[in-house]
Amino acid sequence: MGRRDVRRMLMGNKTPLWERPAVLVGLMVAVLVAGLGIGLVLGVWSGKSGRPAPGAEQAPAPVITESPAPPPPPSPVTADEPEDGRPLLAPPPPRPDPGSSEALEFGHASDVVSLAPMAPPAAPMPEAKLLPAGAAVWLRNALPAPKTGGRPVIAIIIDDLGVDRRRSERMSQLKGPLTLSYMTYADDVARQARDAKAHGHELMVHVPMQPQSASYDPGTEVLEVGLSPDEIRRRLDWGLSRFDGYVGINNHMGSRFTSDPAGMRVVMAELRRRGLAFIDSVTSERTVGAETARHFGVPFAARHVFLDNDQGVAHVRAQLAKTEAYARKHGAAIAIGHPHDGTIEALAGWLPGLEGRGFVLVPVSTIIRMGPGQ
């Protein structure tokens, strides 16, 4: 008798549960169900562990929108020729005038320029001496400010005058008031300036200042970096003695000198002492002209549009249209040009219809009076 038979005999001939087929199938099903249940529980727990803690809200992904680029700054201008023609004050840093010899040094520059705030000079500026009452020579020599009736105003400065006497005379015969800036070293400059004023134009002195490149010749008695204050004053005095009746000066070339705080302080102190104004031709993006003039209390402005980097009539007309657009937007514009045939022809056709287009032609002194940096 085997062991199995003995076990059956002791158990009353009953088959053990684990040997019954139905019981085995049931056990297997139970184990399978239990396994599935455990898997589901583990999955749910795992999913919960990856969620943020209660109360912590997940920020939505940021929505990136492209804001429209800000409109380009108003177009300013400059003045001077092979180093001339430039822009005026307004808001990106100003660049040398396109078409000028200085502009060629730095590459093509926009014909409309604005000045960025200047960094403070390394050394503190000396305080300017106050003038006695009535010493504002620039106001005594300024033309009367025309009535504007709230219309936008435009000042046209023509510099480099006096050397080419024939074209300078043609320019002075145009309908005014223009602002005519004569070269200090021009022959017979006092008579030329006097005749221009008799034609109803405002006068300025076009003062030669050192350019960046030695290959450009700014003329004689040039204001240069490194000169002693006495020598700068002597050269400036010579230029200012060449004729009279002017409201102030603007720079001929000068990309290097107008970037030199030390030299410009001497110039501004002298202009302040004499009661004269300053127009920055903006021949360098590093000019400290406006900042220094403001410190010394010198009345100043800067060009907004340069007219004749290209001397063709069509180009000058297009630049005059830009000048109108700038004035319409900002209330005032200063444009600088030179005695070129194309500039003279374009101005001769543009000036008579200006008032009908809603603008007032003014001498530059009118815009200076409107406030600092106009």
Side-chain angles (χ1 to χ4, degrees), residues 218-233:
T220 60
E221 298 295 335
V222 180
L223 305 188
E224 297 177 318
V225 173
L227 292 176
S228 70
D230 285 346
E231 181 61 15
I232 291 174
R233 280 189 287 267

Side-chain angles (χ1 to χ4, degrees), residues 276-341:
L276 297 173
F278 175 69
I279 299 293
D280 196 337
S281 299
V282 192
T283 57
S284 169
E285 60 188 2
R286 296 178 295 277
T287 176
V288 296
E291 179 73 7
T292 316
R294 186 179 288 111
H295 173 83
F296 279 87
V298 171
F300 75 97
R303 70 124 177 120
H304 299 111
V305 179
F306 176 58
L307 296 177
D308 44 15
N309 54 316
D310 177 334
Q311 298 175 23
V313 176
H315 177 81
V316 177
R317 286 173 179 158
Q319 294 304 96
L320 288 167
K322 286 185 180 181
T323 304
E324 290 185 13
Y326 187 91
R328 196 180 299 281
K329 182 174 182 181
H330 299 280
I334 298 174
I336 289 183
H338 306 91
H340 304 311
D341 290 336

Side-chain angles (χ1 to χ4, degrees), residues 7 65 109 118 137 185 217 241 252 265 298-299 316:
R7 200 168 17 226
T65 57
M118 301 297 166
V137 173
Y185 53 79
D217 180 11
S241 69
H252 172 62
R265 290 175 207 167
V298 171
V316 177

Side-chain angles (χ1 to χ4, degrees), residues 354-367:
L354 187 61
E355 190 170 340
R357 293 191 296 277
F359 299 92
V360 180
L361 183 70
V362 298
V364 77
S365 60
T366 297
I367 295 183

